[in-house]
């Protein structure tokens, strides 16, 4: 027997009280609150015009991502590397969202692996010729990204909020990230303009790039194009050599204390924790060599780029968290810590697949509890260092994902079983160690660990014998 009230039963008649309550309620907002009827009657871009614009956004964003991948390793400024890492990740996700929306509106979907306008590529070829941090910042964050942000705003205003709600939703969320990126870019450009003569150089460079953008009809392609577009320089050869600026006093010191300290159970936990945190801050070398892997990967599904960009950004975050830790201790980490680009230099000697294989092997080795991420977390926790334990907790969580990314995207392409792939990766890593011999003369190979321990912990290091070898 049904337990539903009579009014809720099929064919049931409502009671007089319920019938009276079901009268119209004045003032309820129509159309799910998205718009008034008048606003929803405004005709926005039709599907063809919408797809044309989204295709350009997707390609432009892909090219901004590729530009950042070109610049991450060779640009010396640490703060620029941090921002590029974030924006690479966001760009990958934005391209994915744009491609998805385009595919929803047209069948078959238009090709999204080819440029919709050669003039856009001439713009980015010219942008890649930027030589200095000023030109890179002005070009990407003073010209291209602000123009893209303005186009998002124009497009969002023209979208019908009901008929084209999916695009309106997409643009709303693209704008959230684009505004935050623009805020960083404005501050970064302003900082770069403080050097003598920078304003004139920046203005000339911005004007040139704006001419290339105008020649493409603007971001949307709907603006008048000049009759004689400028000729772009051929893009320079890729430069993936990792660099640090001169604030990093020990950037050519390859002495590595991490494992010999962190794995030594005879040492106090606070010193072992310091070694673990050093490992975090030098992880900037991982995104530096990942940038080449991602950029030179050919014919991969876009999800590959999304996942690899996520891992790259995670590694940048780990380096950032290391800097947060040493800042909290009041340590001048740029001066006292050997934040060297050794692994990036070593992996430049390998082809892209072998470099990825080394990364895969390293990630797989981080999972065992007696030497990997669990141990690093437990060292920090047992040291009762809340900040270090918190950082290690999330570092461990990220590595769980990174292991899965390697298994999904690299392992199926190798004619190797998982354990064979790990062994091959570690063998390749070992074979590259001697490549650093050519760079040791750029800086003294000295034991910098005692001074860091004294400064950070206020006591001498407990390490009795220090191995200066590169580990």
């Amino acid at each position: 027997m049904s337990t539903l009230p009579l009014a809720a039963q099929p064919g049931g008649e409502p009671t007089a009280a319920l019938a009276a309550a079901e009268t119209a309620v004045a003032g309820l907002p129509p159309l799910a609150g998205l718009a008034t009827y008048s606003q929803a009657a405004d005709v926005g871009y039709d599907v063809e015009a919408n797809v044309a614009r989204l295709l350009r956004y997707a390609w432009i964003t892909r090219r901004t991502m590729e530009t950042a991948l070109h610049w991450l390793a060779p640009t010396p400024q640490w703060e620029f590397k941090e921002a590029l890492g974030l924006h690479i990740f966001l760009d990958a996700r934005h391209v994915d969202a744009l491609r998805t929306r385009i595919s929803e509106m047209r069948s078959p979907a238009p090709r999204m692996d080819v440029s919709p306008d050669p003039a856009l590529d001439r713009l980015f070829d010219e942008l890649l010729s930027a030589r200095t941090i000023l030109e890179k910042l002005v070009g990407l964050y003073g010209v291209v990204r602000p123009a893209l942000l303005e186009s998002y705003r124009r497009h969002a205003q023209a979208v019908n909020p009901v008929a084209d709600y999916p695009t309106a939703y997409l643009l709303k969320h693209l704008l959230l990230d684009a505004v935050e990126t623009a805020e960083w870019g404005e501050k970064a450009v302003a900082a770069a303009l403080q050097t003598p003569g920078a304003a004139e150089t920046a203005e000339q460079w911005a004007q040139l790039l704006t001419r290339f953008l105008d020649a493409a009809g603007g971001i949307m392609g709907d603006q008048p194009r000049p009759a004689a577009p400028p000729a772009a320089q051929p893009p320079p050869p890729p430069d993936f050599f990792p660099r640090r600026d001169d604030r990093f006093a020990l950037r050519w010191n390859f002495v590595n204390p991490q494992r010999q300290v962190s794995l030594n159970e005879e040492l106090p936990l606070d010193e072992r924790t310091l070694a673990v945190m050093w490992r975090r801050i030098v992880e900037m070398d991982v995104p530096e060599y990942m940038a080449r892997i991602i950029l030179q990967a050919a014919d991969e599904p876009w999800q590959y780029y999304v996942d690899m960009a996520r891992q790259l950004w995670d590694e940048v975050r780990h380096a950032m968290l290391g800097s947060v830790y040493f800042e909290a201790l009041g340590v001048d980490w740029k001066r006292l810590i050997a934040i060297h680009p050794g692994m990036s230099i070593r992996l430049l000697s390998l082809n892209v697949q072998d470099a990825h294989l080394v990364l895969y092997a390293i990630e797989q080795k981080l999972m065992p509890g007696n030497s990997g991420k669990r141990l690093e977390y437990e060292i920090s926790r047992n040291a009762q260092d809340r900040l270090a334990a918190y950082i290690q907790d999330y570092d461990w969580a990220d590595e769980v994902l990174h292991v899965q990314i390697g298994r999904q995207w690299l392992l199926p392409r190798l004619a190797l079983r998982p354990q064979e792939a790990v062994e091959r990766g570690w063998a390749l890593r070992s074979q590259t160690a001697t490549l650093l011999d050519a760079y040791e003369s750029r800086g003294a190979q000295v034991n910098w660990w005692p001074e860091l321990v004294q400064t950070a912990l206020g006591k001498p290091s407990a390490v009795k014998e220090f191995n200066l070898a590169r580990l």
Side-chain angles (χ1 to χ4, degrees), residues 254-256 260 445-448 466-470:
F254 301 117
V255 172
N256 183 344
Q260 61 182 298
Q445 306 301 303
V446 298
N447 181 6
W448 53 272
F466 197 89
N467 182 1
L468 293 184
R470 300 189 299 262

Side-chain angles (χ1 to χ4, degrees), residues 285-304:
D285 64 354
V286 183
E288 286 174 332
Y289 65 72
M290 281 193 72
R292 179 175 72 105
I293 294 173
I294 298 170
L295 191 60
Q296 296 185 344
D299 302 323
E300 296 286 359
W302 191 255
Q303 190 59 46
Y304 165 90

Side-chain angles (χ1 to χ4, degrees), residues 12-83:
E13 293 296 329
T15 64
L18 285 176
E22 292 302 321
T23 59
V25 177
L28 284 180
L31 305 177
L34 297 174
T36 64
Y37 283 109
S38 176
Q39 291 168 335
D42 285 339
V43 175
Y45 296 129
D46 61 22
V47 172
E48 182 178 359
N50 216 357
V51 168
R53 285 163 171 78
L54 297 184
L55 277 170
R56 291 176 69 91
Y57 299 161
W59 190 257
I60 290 167
T61 305
R62 177 176 180 152
R63 291 301 307 263
T64 62
M65 172 183 166
E66 292 172 352
T67 301
L69 287 167
H70 274 284
W71 289 347
L72 192 148
T75 306
Q77 290 79 10
W78 184 270
E79 296 81 1
F80 196 40
K81 294 176 189 286
E82 293 174 330

